[in-house]
Amino acid sequence: MYSIISGKFLAGIITIAVIFVSLFLFIGGLGLRLLGVVPGADEVGRLALYLVVSICYVGFWLGLAILASVIFRGVATSALAVLALWILLAFFLPLGAQVAAETLAPMPAAATSEADIEAMVRHQRLKQGVSYVSPIALYTDATSVILDPYRKTTRSLVLMGPLERLSVSRFENPLPLDARALVVAPHLVLLVALTLLCFGVTYATFLRHEIRAI
């Protein structure tokens, strides 16, 4: 019974990985042909990191689709259930995160004091923490750091003084690949954890159905 679930998941994730790698190689070859610009080691590393994160993200939805197919016997019902969950995570969860942040940690009108700055930080942290329930937010923030060479954090609010702003404007350099991987690592771990959670719930549900059938 375990081999049935693991076989479906491994076959799906291997197929997805092959498709993604093929698309990346095709687009990379087409870009070399049309532009004639050879990417450096940092660009290749960022693309490889983006590929890994994308495979993990799609792997989560694959695990969720297998879970829905085990819970709901009908193909149409399981597809609609996954689609409804995607709509909930993509559209309604960000609204819920905004409402929760406004209710529990209201944003001050202006940052005129240290207390206002702390309130702004609490607001952004709460909003981001609630939104990270969705793998869509995890994937979006992770890929934004990977693809933007000059973005150094997933936070939308970064506090800097005048000297820090001057230093950034004059001496801003792309974030190294190893530092970029460290920034993205928590998001990747959460995506893998969510995928394994779906896989574990799928196996437990499938096993319960088989026991009832016996």
Side-chain angles (χ1 to χ4, degrees):
M1 289 181 292
Y2 176 78
S3 60
I4 297 176
I5 301 298
S6 60
K8 289 177 66 176
F9 181 78
L10 289 177
I13 201 69
I14 290 174
T15 303
I16 291 169
V18 170
I19 293 174
F20 274 31
V21 171
S22 301
L23 286 176
F24 269 68
L25 292 177
F26 174 76
I27 294 173
L30 186 63
L32 287 174
R33 173 66 177 175
L34 296 178
L35 301 178
V37 178
V38 179
D42 184 75
E43 287 79 7
V44 174
R46 286 196 289 117
L47 288 177
L49 186 59
Y50 176 75
L51 180 63
V52 171
V53 175
S54 299
I55 292 174
C56 292
Y57 173 69
V58 179
F60 164 77
W61 291 107
L62 174 64
L64 190 63
I66 296 175
L67 175 60
S69 67
V70 172
I71 296 176
F72 307 102
R73 295 298 182 178
V75 177
T77 306
S78 61
L80 288 175
V82 175
L83 179 61
L85 183 59
W86 179 83
I87 293 174
L88 176 66
L89 295 177
F91 298 102
F92 293 101
L93 185 62
L95 296 176
Q98 181 67 34
V99 171
E102 291 291 345
T103 304
L104 301 177
M107 176 76 78
T112 57
S113 64
E114 185 176 352
D116 292 337
I117 295 176
E118 292 178 357
M120 292 174 62
V121 172
R122 286 195 303 269
H123 178 89
Q124 291 296 329
R125 285 180 177 175
L126 180 60
K127 180 180 176 181
Q128 191 175 46
V130 175
S131 64
Y132 276 178
V133 176
S134 169
I136 300 175
L138 292 171
Y139 178 73
T140 301
D141 284 355
T143 52
S144 64
V145 174
I146 296 172
L147 298 178
D148 188 353
Y150 294 98
R151 183 165 182 176
K152 298 177 173 60
T153 179
T154 58
R155 292 178 296 176
S156 57
L157 179 64
V158 181
L159 301 177
M160 293 186 298
L163 294 180
E164 291 175 307
R165 288 196 296 269
L166 179 62
S167 177
V168 168
S169 62
R170 289 189 176 182
F171 307 105
E172 186 176 18
N173 293 315
L175 191 66
L177 181 61
D178 53 351
R180 194 179 303 274
L182 290 176
V183 174
V184 176
H187 300 71
L188 182 60
V189 171
L190 286 174
L191 285 174
V192 173
L194 289 173
T195 304
L196 293 179
L197 178 62
C198 288
F199 185 79
V201 175
T202 302
Y203 177 68
T205 306
F206 183 79
L207 186 62
R208 179 177 298 179
H209 289 174
E210 289 298 320
I211 292 175
R212 288 180 179 178
I214 294 175

